[in-house]
Amino acid sequence: MITEEELKDLEACQSGEDWRSACDKIKAARGGTYPDDWWDKVKLSGMMDRIVDRWGADSDLTLTRIS
């Protein structure tokens, strides 16, 4: 389960770098994976979209071709 402290860390993000750092910290605490309730509490709740909108990003999944 994602903790209240981790949710606060995400809420405090002001850039893509902040977001990546917070996500890396959350995954590191669980052996490299997101908590089971990540999708519901962060993505589906709209939290992620609201936060990343601060720097003009969105949470849509994208595919990138690497040659």
Side-chain angles (χ1 to χ4, degrees), residues 18-47:
D18 291 348
W19 182 264
R20 174 58 34 220
S21 177
C23 291
D24 287 347
K25 183 178 170 187
I26 289 167
K27 291 190 308 183
R30 293 164 180 83
T33 62
Y34 285 103
D36 292 338
D37 57 348
W38 173 270
W39 191 253
D40 292 333
K41 289 190 175 177
V42 178
K43 178 62 175 146
L44 291 181
S45 71
M47 177 185 190

Side-chain angles (χ1 to χ4, degrees), residues 2 6-7 9-16 18-20 22-24 26-27 34 37-62:
I2 193 167
E6 290 168 331
L7 291 171
D9 287 346
L10 292 173
E11 284 288 353
C13 293
Q14 297 299 317
S15 69
D18 291 348
W19 182 264
R20 174 58 34 220
C23 291
D24 287 347
I26 289 167
K27 291 190 308 183
Y34 285 103
D37 57 348
W38 173 270
W39 191 253
D40 292 333
K41 289 190 175 177
V42 178
K43 178 62 175 146
L44 291 181
S45 71
M47 177 185 190
M48 185 177 186
D49 284 320
R50 181 176 42 76
I51 293 169
V52 302
D53 187 54
R54 293 175 189 162
W55 55 89
D58 63 51
S59 67
D60 294 342
L61 297 174
T62 58

